Amino acid sequence: AGVLTGFYTFDKKDVLLLENPTNGKITKTLDSLEIIITPKDNLLIFYAGHGNWDEKRSIGYWLPSDAAARTYDNCLMNSRITTFVSESKARHTLVIADACFGGSIFRTRALPPEEVKSISEMYLKTSKKAMTSGDLMEVPDESVFVKTFLDLLTANKENYLPTEKLFFNIKPSVVKEADLIPQFGTIKNAGDQGGDFIFFRKNN
């Protein structure tokens, strides 16, 4: 939250920081956003916490602070997140998940970097994207992914930073230091039209 409001055009009044939230708190917050978001808005959802993957049911989910260890009580299914994103009126929505099995939210991977479109073209087209610290694997509690993500956002000097470009700078460091393969791509069935979430740096 500090990096986004300090270096980028995220207004403090628009940043909702939930520390150790329950399932109900997360769900209530998402429901409140549905009421106020317009097609002119951009929405970033950042989740850092525990997750799990049910191999038999092919279901991924996040574990809020009140989730039970061996049952689905109070788990937040990936399908709940994808439904929220698909119904959101925001022009651009980006979900970033630093959690075990976060990659289960994807339909496809990102385009290779040589196919990156112009900034204006990416901004005009609707985007529903996600970035995760790994695929269907466990991730360490000490997050190299989050550290690299914040370091790159802080060091960036470009006025307009597409998420796709940010990801392709994050990935090599995480692969090298944590033996994880971060993922970036389109969220399943959410209405992505080929755009991208753009980080607008403040002119200090």
Side-chain angles (χ1 to χ4, degrees):
V3 170
L4 293 176
T5 58
F7 293 89
Y8 295 86
T9 55
F10 288 77
D11 196 310
K12 289 184 178 180
K13 67 179 177 60
D14 295 328
V15 176
L16 306 177
L17 177 61
L18 309 181
E19 298 183 271
N20 299 316
T22 62
N23 188 343
K25 180 65 174 178
I26 296 174
T27 302
K28 184 177 180 180
T29 301
L30 293 177
D31 289 342
S32 70
L33 290 174
E34 288 183 344
I35 299 172
I36 62 175
I37 286 177
T38 75
K40 296 181 180 180
D41 294 319
N42 300 323
L43 174 64
L44 170 63
I45 299 173
F46 189 102
Y47 174 78
H50 295 288
N52 214 334
W53 172 254
D54 185 328
E55 187 69 37
K56 291 182 179 179
R57 301 170 65 190
S58 296
I59 294 175
Y61 48 92
W62 296 348
L63 301 175
S65 61
D66 59 340
R70 291 183 171 81
T71 71
Y72 291 106
D73 294 345
N74 295 320
C75 292
L76 188 62
M77 303 292 182
N78 278 357
S79 58
R80 173 68 179 88
I81 303 300
T82 55
T83 297
F84 169 78
V85 171
S86 66
E87 295 176 351
S88 171
K89 296 185 289 289
R91 172 179 288 181
H92 300 287
T93 302
L94 173 63
V95 178
I96 299 178
D98 181 34
C100 297
F101 312 103
S104 60
I105 200 170
F106 291 115
R107 181 187 71 208
T108 60
R109 293 184 180 181
L111 297 172
E114 64 269 14
E115 296 183 37
V116 169
K117 306 175 184 68
S118 69
I119 295 292
S120 59
E121 184 180 359
M122 287 187 288
Y123 191 73
L124 288 173
K125 293 183 178 180
T126 299
S127 67
K128 309 280 186 174
K129 298 287 197 302
M131 184 192 305
T132 68
S133 55
D135 194 4
L136 302 183
M137 63 184 72
E138 293 188 5
V139 299
D141 290 335
E142 189 69 26
S143 179
V144 173
F145 173 81
V146 170
K147 181 181 184 303
T148 305
F149 174 76
L150 295 178
D151 286 348
L152 288 172
L153 280 182
T154 302
N156 169 57
K157 302 300 181 184
E158 297 183 26
N159 291 328
Y160 310 108
L161 178 61
T163 303
E164 185 172 339
K165 182 173 182 179
L166 175 62
F167 170 76
F168 283 107
N169 287 324
I170 289 173
K171 185 176 179 180
S173 295
V174 176
V175 171
K176 180 180 178 180
E177 295 185 37
D179 196 28
L180 293 171
I181 303 178
Q183 305 291 311
F184 173 67
T186 303
I187 296 177
K188 303 173 184 175
N189 307 316
D192 185 276
Q193 296 177 3
D196 197 4
F197 187 101
I198 310 295
F199 288 85
F200 292 82
R201 189 173 176 86
K202 284 183 176 180
N203 294 318
N204 295 324

